[in-house]
Amino acid sequence: MNKKDNLLFVGFMGCGKSTIAKAYAKKYDKFFLDTDELIKQKFDLEIHKIFSLYGEDFFRNEEKKLIYFLKNLKNASIASGGGFIKHKKIKKIGTIVYLKSSFDYILNRLDETQILSRPLLSNLANAKILFDQRIQKYEKKADFIIDIEDKSIDQIITQIKKEVK
Ligand code: S3P
């Protein structure tokens, strides 16, 4: 674990980053934050509204600004949006944990509302292309890779705790 004791959860849309980061915070006494939630709260808008009103570049710029805020924190368990990995310098925030699963596993977990709330999931063929491109980025930047398929939340966070020490 690095000096700040922050964990940054990365992985594809819908893999459960927020659920895991929150459960980890509760069990291991950390503060929980979620980059999508911080941006939603700032504008009082849902993510798909931010995309449709202001565009993806605007959203990415908000994510970028968050890096400078998050890197000053200590003892936080942070869920990030699936595209947060695009940004340079995210390693400055803390230890990066990649929650890995297949595209099909993710799709099977999500209901219609969860799919509709994510603009980049609206076209599944494009989302699969994005998934294949992103995998390499997640693997490259991760300090730890945790395979989440068919595991309970408790199994996942216990494994993370063992690996990050
Ligand atoms: C995105 C993932 C979403 C959200 C936005 C863009 C992406 O977060 O940040 O819709 O580029 O993968 P989740 O991973 O929480 O769905």
Side-chain angles (χ1 to χ4, degrees):
M1 183 73 89
N2 75 8
K3 273 187 276 175
K4 293 187 195 121
D5 282 355
N6 295 328
L7 284 186
L8 179 71
F9 289 90
V10 302
F12 201 68
M13 287 175 265
C15 71
K17 299 177 292 284
S18 305
T19 307
I20 299 298
K22 197 184 280 181
Y24 193 93
K26 188 175 172 191
K27 185 155 181 187
Y28 299 113
D29 191 21
K30 293 191 171 287
F31 290 99
F32 165 70
L33 286 165
D34 182 317
T35 61
D36 281 350
E37 289 303 321
L38 288 166
I39 297 171
K40 279 160 70 176
Q41 284 159 9
K42 175 170 176 181
F43 296 99
D44 197 17
L45 287 171
E46 294 300 317
I47 299 290
H48 66 91
K49 264 282 174 198
I50 297 175
F51 268 64
S52 63
L53 285 175
Y54 306 123
E56 181 174 347
D57 287 352
F58 176 91
F59 176 78
R60 297 300 172 201
N61 197 42
E62 288 302 317
E63 284 189 322
K64 211 160 140 187
K65 287 189 245 172
L66 271 178
I67 298 169
Y68 297 93
F69 167 66
L70 297 173
K71 78 182 172 89
N72 293 312
L73 300 177
K74 282 186 179 154
N75 201 31
S77 175
I78 306 160
S80 65
F84 204 65
I85 199 80
K86 282 167 169 271
H87 304 292
K88 293 183 189 129
K89 301 187 182 157
I90 61 167
K91 275 192 181 278
K92 285 185 187 287
I93 297 172
T95 302
I96 300 183
V97 181
Y98 167 31
L99 302 178
K100 182 177 181 175
S101 70
S102 68
F103 188 68
D104 288 346
Y105 185 80
I106 288 171
L107 281 195
N108 287 332
R109 286 181 75 239
L110 298 177
D111 62 28
E112 209 183 323
T113 318
Q114 290 169 315
I115 292 180
L116 290 176
S117 70
R118 294 175 164 93
L120 299 179
L121 270 187
S122 59
N123 176 319
L124 288 186
N126 287 346
K128 175 68 170 78
I129 294 169
L130 191 61
F131 178 87
D132 291 335
Q133 293 167 345
R134 290 259 180 90
I135 283 179
Q136 297 157 32
K137 293 193 176 131
Y138 296 133
E139 292 193 345
K140 197 167 153 217
K141 291 208 179 164
D143 295 302
F144 298 101
I145 300 175
I146 308 287
D147 203 322
I148 59 163
E149 288 196 26
D150 302 318
K151 290 184 188 149
S152 69
I153 295 170
D154 212 51
Q155 282 173 322
I156 295 168
I157 60 175
T158 306
Q159 187 185 342
I160 296 167
K161 179 68 179 168
K162 269 191 207 137
E163 299 214 18
V164 299
K165 295 287 186 311

